Amino acid sequence: MSKRVAVLISGRGTNMAVLADSMAEGDVATPVLVLSNEEEADGLRKAAIRNIPHTVVCHRDFPDRASFEAAMIAKLDAVRPDIICLAGFMRILTSEFIDRYEDRILNIHPSLLPRHKGLNTHARVLEAGDVEHGCTVHLVTNRLDDGPVLGQARITVEPDDTPKSLSSRVQRQEHRLYPAVLDRFARGGREPTYISMPSDSLLC
């Protein structure tokens, strides 16, 4: 039976669009909702183009995080998701929310976790002198960017790289990695394995 997938976004929704398109090509997962905390998120337009149900729960409309998350939970529970994918969702979730959907929330992070948790990863990679960079898909737990790794894609940091060029190159890997991990996760796969790629490597 196809797994029901909800995707949470805050902005452009590029990863959401790639996930949705990959689900449309397969038979193991179906997008049932795109939820944004920003009314002007371009990802909502991308969802509409793909005829995916979409909604907004703006965090600024609520007095506290608990009431904001309660509103999100009401929208999510109405569509009964088997899997929730965070795709550029720029709000930290509480332990109550995460525990409600334990082992069902995936996130993609633009670094090779456990290195460079948090924000500004591309600049921090250059400041640290790292020779490799990439992205990670992981299960969400109550520790920020610290859940079990489900997949990683790696790139080599070039001498002329900038935060902007790294962002662009890593995003291309995100668009390869996230759909692959979601497909495997929807089939019940949890253990990461290496897949060889020309010049770069993919762990998923």
Side-chain angles (χ1 to χ4, degrees):
M1 181 179 295
S2 181
K3 298 295 185 182
R4 300 169 63 84
V5 179
V7 186
L8 274 55
I9 65 171
S10 293
R12 293 179 299 164
T14 57
N15 271 311
M16 177 278 297
V18 171
L19 289 174
D21 292 345
S22 71
M23 285 186 269
E25 294 173 358
D27 59 359
V28 298
T30 302
V32 295
L33 182 67
V34 171
L35 186 153
S36 175
N37 67 304
E38 294 286 358
E39 295 179 356
E40 302 300 320
D42 191 52
L44 295 169
R45 179 186 61 83
K46 292 181 173 73
I49 291 171
R50 291 164 173 78
N51 296 314
I52 303 171
H54 51 284
T55 190
V56 176
V57 180
C58 181
H59 59 281
R60 288 181 292 272
D61 293 339
F62 299 89
D64 52 41
R65 189 171 298 182
S67 56
F68 164 60
E69 289 190 351
M72 285 204 302
I73 287 168
K75 297 287 188 181
L76 289 168
D77 284 357
V79 299
R80 308 184 316 280
D82 300 299
I83 302 169
I84 297 172
C85 290
L86 307 184
F89 185 67
M90 302 304 290
R91 306 298 298 175
I92 295 176
L93 298 168
T94 66
S95 59
E96 289 77 14
F97 184 98
I98 293 168
D99 289 346
R100 184 181 187 89
Y101 303 107
E102 185 177 7
D103 290 333
R104 287 191 279 162
I105 307 175
L106 308 185
N107 182 50
I108 189 159
H109 181 75
S111 82
L112 296 173
L113 293 175
R115 290 185 63 79
H116 306 302
K117 300 175 183 180
L119 302 175
N120 304 316
T121 60
H122 309 304
R124 290 161 59 198
V125 161
L126 294 174
E127 291 169 1
D130 292 353
V131 298
E132 283 189 321
H133 188 26
C135 53
T136 303
V137 177
H138 65 96
L139 273 173
V140 174
T141 66
N142 290 318
R143 299 179 63 180
L144 182 66
D145 298 331
D146 198 49
V149 170
L150 298 175
Q152 285 186 329
R154 298 172 182 270
I155 65 170
T156 300
V157 179
E158 303 295 344
D160 59 348
D161 267 323
T162 65
K164 184 176 181 179
S165 69
L166 283 178
S167 175
S168 177
R169 293 173 60 211
V170 168
Q171 187 175 70
R172 289 196 294 271
Q173 298 306 312
E174 290 177 3
H175 293 172
R176 296 165 60 196
L177 179 68
Y178 213 170
V181 171
L182 175 60
D183 181 84
R184 187 168 48 79
F185 188 80
R187 298 175 189 273
R190 298 287 184 102
E191 292 299 320
T193 56
Y194 280 105
I195 299 176
S196 297
M197 293 288 175
S199 73
D200 295 326
S201 66
L202 184 68
L203 166 64
C204 81

